[in-house]
Amino acid sequence: DYSESRKSVANSTRIKWNNTIKRMKNFFGEDTKLHAITPGDAFRFREQLKTTGNRGGPPLADASVNRHCGIASQFFNAALKSRLTTENPFADIDKTNLVNRNRQQYVSAETVDKVIAEISTWQMRLYVALARYGGLRCPSEPAALRWVDVHFGDGTGADPGFIMVSNVKTRHHPTVDDYRKIPLFQELLPYLQEAWEQSKEGAVFVIEGVKALDSRRRNSDAKVNLTSAVESAQKRAGVTPWPKQMQNLRSTRQTELEDHYPTHVVNYWMNNSVRVAQKHYLQITDDHHLAGCGITPESKAVSPAVTAASFMPIHAPSAKTQTLENKAFPVTDRHDPSQEMPKWAMRDSTVHAF
């Protein structure tokens, strides 16, 4: 079994694979031989995912459909290498890795601060702050964060403070270090200080006492679901819940930092590649549009360098261009069918007719 043979993959990846396997068994039949599945069958499998989700439910989003087809193609490529079949029926099926932009949402500092203020425990306040202001992947990176990884410094240029974040998700790649060094962001500092004051004497991990995170440290495959606590705080704060709760907080932070610091620096802090950042994290906000129009956004989320007038000089219209009457060419009312074309415009008309 391909899924079981891949010992090095994360449990979350195995769960996705098993989900696709269930859908394939449901559609093709559990006893169907690999070589009996044709490209036409693969096409019909994709179409059913788009219409009924393959389980008689609502249709899946295009991104989910392509992801399932991509995983199915991965299975058949492995079968080809093992000579269990002679063809990959999913080879020509659309399986582009799409991003569902409708589920991306920029979560402003004002919004998240309202939510954090309604969270009753210091552990969960810090958990949300680490995602929004530290850009940490949740739940793996906050769960692994230890007090020895946090250096408060003295706030001076000589000792500004930093956090060593364990690259839990990506450290298996040969080009990725075990840890990355990120600044002790000022927005994050109050929550870390509160955690230091509230933590028990001798505490090893920054967030202790949260059952789901404690279990995650004992078992890296343990499922962590802390969304309900945040959703309750959102309700009390009068904030509409945003999709992809923790990922959009991290995505927002990367978008925010990109407006102030070089891309290669931000990608290092976030532990993202340029391709992944552009495809899955960076967002275009209303403030970007205002800045492009030369208007300074009230939220100040966009760097002053972006909104500065010198970034793209605005030229006042000259006297000759303020009205159509002052233009150097005649004005033609294109809505009047009786209007004749000016003689000057008819030159070389036979050339342009072809």
Side-chain angles (χ1 to χ4, degrees):
D1 182 80
Y2 176 74
S3 177
E4 295 301 324
S5 68
R6 295 290 303 276
K7 303 296 184 182
S8 62
V9 300
N11 187 55
S12 57
T13 299
R14 202 180 307 281
I15 291 173
K16 293 177 184 177
W17 286 356
N18 289 337
N19 188 4
T20 299
I21 290 172
K22 289 179 181 177
R23 293 179 183 277
M24 293 178 71
K25 287 181 177 179
N26 184 51
F27 182 81
F28 297 117
E30 191 165 348
D31 297 326
T32 301
K33 302 298 183 182
L34 292 178
H35 63 79
I37 299 175
T38 67
D41 294 330
F43 175 79
R44 285 185 285 275
F45 172 73
R46 187 180 191 282
E47 287 300 298
Q48 189 171 82
L49 293 178
K50 290 177 63 177
T51 54
T52 65
N54 185 233
R55 294 181 179 178
L60 301 183
D62 289 342
S64 297
V65 171
N66 285 12
R67 183 165 58 251
H68 283 300
C69 290
I71 293 173
S73 181
Q74 182 179 345
F75 292 156
F76 273 95
N77 282 334
L80 278 171
K81 292 179 181 179
S82 299
R83 298 183 179 178
L84 298 175
T85 188
T86 59
E87 179 186 29
N88 179 358
F90 285 87
D92 297 325
I93 297 296
D94 188 5
K95 45 190 176 289
T96 306
N97 186 8
L98 300 176
V99 177
N100 190 348
R101 298 293 180 187
N102 292 329
R103 288 178 56 77
Q104 279 192 332
Q105 185 172 328
Y106 187 91
V107 185
S108 70
E110 293 79 8
T111 297
V112 81
D113 285 347
K114 287 180 182 178
V115 174
I116 291 177
E118 295 295 334
I119 296 176
S120 59
T121 65
W122 64 265
Q123 293 98 327
M124 283 304 299
R125 287 195 289 271
L126 177 58
Y127 182 75
V128 173
L130 285 170
R132 176 58 179 84
Y133 296 123
L136 272 63
R137 288 187 181 91
C138 293
S140 58
E141 292 176 351
L145 190 63
R146 303 168 301 169
W147 280 119
V148 295
D149 302 324
V150 179
H151 178 64
F152 284 100
D154 60 11
T156 67
D159 191 11
F162 59 83
I163 304 173
M164 299 298 296
V165 180
S166 177
N167 294 323
V168 179
K169 182 179 179 179
T170 59
R171 63 187 175 196
H172 64 279
H173 294 295
T175 58
V176 177
D177 296 329
D178 287 342
Y179 288 83
R180 66 184 186 273
K181 183 179 181 179
I182 71 170
L184 188 60
F185 296 108
Q186 290 302 299
E187 305 99 318
L188 190 55
L189 183 57
Y191 301 102
L192 281 169
Q193 289 174 331
E194 179 188 28
W196 176 256
E197 295 169 359
Q198 297 292 332
S199 292
K200 295 180 180 179
E201 189 72 27
V204 175
F205 293 96
V206 174
I207 300 180
E208 293 186 358
V210 178
K211 186 176 180 180
L213 297 183
D214 293 341
S215 298
R216 182 60 176 258
R217 283 190 286 268
R218 292 191 295 268
N219 177 11
S220 60
D221 291 335
K223 189 174 182 180
V224 176
N225 186 357
L226 298 173
T227 58
S228 58
V230 179
E231 287 174 351
S232 296
Q234 289 171 327
K235 185 176 181 179
R236 290 192 295 271
V239 171
T240 302
W242 54 84
K244 299 169 68 175
Q245 192 182 88
M246 291 296 115
Q247 186 173 338
N248 269 322
L249 293 181
R250 178 172 151 85
S251 169
T252 296
R253 187 54 168 172
Q254 173 133 15
T255 301
E256 198 173 62
L257 292 174
E258 286 273 354
D259 287 328
H260 295 264
Y261 304 98
T263 295
H264 72 283
V265 173
V266 178
N267 282 331
Y268 171 79
W269 288 343
M270 301 290 293
N271 188 227
N272 279 332
S273 66
V274 174
R275 183 186 65 83
V276 168
Q278 291 178 340
K279 188 168 187 178
H280 297 281
Y281 286 89
L282 297 178
Q283 303 181 41
I284 299 174
T285 68
D286 292 340
D287 284 353
H288 287 129
H289 183 80
L290 290 175
C293 295
I295 302 171
T296 302
E298 292 182 4
S299 68
K300 298 181 181 179
V302 178
S303 170
V306 179
T307 59
S310 59
F311 186 75
M312 182 176 290
I314 299 175
H315 300 282
S318 66
K320 289 185 178 181
T321 61
Q322 287 183 14
T323 63
L324 288 173
E325 287 76 14
N326 288 334
K327 287 189 178 293
F329 51 84
V331 178
T332 301
D333 183 358
R334 299 183 185 278
H335 299 283
D336 183 359
S338 65
Q339 176 70 51
E340 295 182 2
M341 183 183 294
K343 292 182 179 180
W344 61 266
M346 298 176 65
R347 289 178 298 176
D348 299 328
S349 59
T350 54
V351 176
H352 296 292
F354 297 96

